[in-house]
Amino acid sequence: MSTPSQLNQNELPQHVAIIMDGNGRWAKQQGKPRVWGHKKGADAVRRSVRFCRELGISALTLFAFSSENWQRPADEVSSLMQLFMLMLKSEVKNLHKNQVRLRVCGDLSAFDEALRKQIKAAEALTADNRALTLTIAANYGGRWDITHAARQLAQEVSAGRLAVDAIDEQRMAQYIQLADLPELDLLIRTGGDVRISNFLLWQAAYAELWFTDTLWPDFDQQVFAEAVAAFISRERRFGCTSEQVCALASRQSKGT
């Protein structure tokens, strides 16, 4: 059995997903409009990507915009779309430089043509990068994901390319979003709520869940390390501290 002093790559989660909650409440605490919280939340995204790169985590999936978020005030939705476009334009070159592959999953048909083109361009530019796969879930819902997969399977059956008896969990999984990524190991939710809000329902079947009261704009390396430490403790049945996780990240980033 491993010990905390022997903490290494094998104990780490390889696929982490985060429900980024609390931007609006953070902004309210600062006396700012909600969109200010979303803009500050972008800094937490950058920190999280950097932390995953340092640790060698291979996949990070972020819940940016759910299919239910269209019900928010129109001005907030508009601001979120503008911020999404701005982030794609301003961050993709840096992601590419750091060998991060960017993908967007969800029902993109609801977005305007300009945003869809920007998404496609960012995905194409970073397609061959292998250090980290960063997936942004936008206009995504877990029930939509499963329904979409079921519809694709039904089309295969209808076309005579697939027998009904051939449909099992493994076949279904091939049509679920993120099918080419490692199994989801760790699902984090910030902001204090203890639910997964229709996020990655299929993928999270055996994931470790970790909840924190920290609002998303305040999510930093220390809080992320606490989540990873909790995962390691649960999965490998030994104790470790967030300081050890940070130390490992530092060693990884220095190439030692």
Side-chain angles (χ1 to χ4, degrees):
M1 180 181 293
S2 301
T3 65
S5 62
Q6 297 170 326
L7 180 62
N8 59 55
Q9 202 69 32
N10 294 330
E11 279 96 40
L12 295 171
Q14 285 307 298
H15 185 181
V16 178
I18 306 177
I19 300 172
M20 306 179 294
D21 195 17
N23 290 332
R25 281 171 285 160
W26 185 91
K28 185 176 180 179
Q29 289 176 3
Q30 312 299 316
K32 302 283 188 179
R34 288 177 60 87
V35 68
W36 178 256
H38 296 303
K39 290 180 179 178
K40 297 301 292 185
D43 294 335
V45 171
R46 296 185 188 96
R47 291 193 295 266
S48 297
V49 170
R50 183 166 58 249
F51 186 68
C52 287
R53 284 282 286 109
E54 291 169 350
L55 273 182
I57 292 171
S58 62
L60 174 65
T61 300
L62 303 177
F63 201 10
F65 190 83
S66 76
S67 50
E68 290 80 19
N69 285 157
W70 294 107
Q71 301 174 37
R72 293 187 176 187
D75 58 343
E76 182 177 352
V77 171
S78 177
S79 296
L80 283 169
M81 294 300 105
Q82 292 174 21
L83 180 59
F84 192 12
M85 175 71 87
L86 178 63
M87 289 290 291
L88 285 170
K89 289 181 177 179
S90 64
E91 299 295 327
V92 67
K93 289 184 179 179
N94 190 50
L95 292 173
H96 186 47
K97 178 182 177 181
N98 286 282
Q99 286 295 300
V100 177
R101 178 173 60 147
L102 177 67
R103 295 197 312 182
V104 180
C105 74
D107 182 4
L108 305 187
S109 64
F111 297 139
D112 65 37
E113 184 178 359
L115 182 53
R116 292 199 303 271
K117 285 184 176 180
Q118 194 66 42
I119 290 170
K120 185 176 181 179
E123 290 179 330
L125 176 65
T126 63
D128 295 329
N129 295 337
R130 293 294 179 264
L132 171 69
T133 296
L134 172 63
T135 303
I136 305 298
N139 196 26
Y140 173 88
R143 292 178 176 176
W144 166 86
D145 193 354
I146 295 170
T147 302
H148 183 256
R151 185 179 296 116
Q152 290 180 296
L153 282 169
Q155 290 172 346
E156 291 293 300
V157 171
S158 179
R161 294 187 293 266
L162 181 67
V164 172
D165 291 345
I167 300 175
D168 54 16
E169 287 187 20
Q170 289 71 34
R171 179 76 68 172
M172 181 79 167
Q174 295 174 7
Y175 291 84
I176 294 289
Q177 302 283 298
L178 316 183
D180 62 324
L181 297 181
E183 289 282 338
L184 182 61
D185 295 314
L186 174 62
L187 175 59
I188 299 168
R189 179 172 186 145
T190 66
D193 288 332
V194 187
R195 57 178 179 269
I196 62 174
S197 296
N198 195 26
F199 185 46
L200 300 180
L201 298 180
W202 179 282
Q203 298 87 337
Y206 291 101
E208 292 294 316
L209 308 182
W210 193 82
F211 302 94
T212 176
D213 291 334
T214 301
L215 302 177
W216 177 244
D218 292 327
F219 190 84
D220 57 14
Q221 175 173 300
Q222 181 61 37
V223 184
F224 206 156
E226 290 172 4
V228 173
F231 168 84
I232 294 171
S233 178
R234 295 178 195 175
E235 287 292 298
R236 307 303 179 185
R237 299 184 182 279
F238 60 81
C240 71
T241 66
S242 57
E243 286 76 13
Q244 288 170 308
V245 177
C246 286
L248 177 60
S250 179
R251 293 201 302 272
Q252 292 289 118
S253 65
K254 294 177 182 177
T256 59

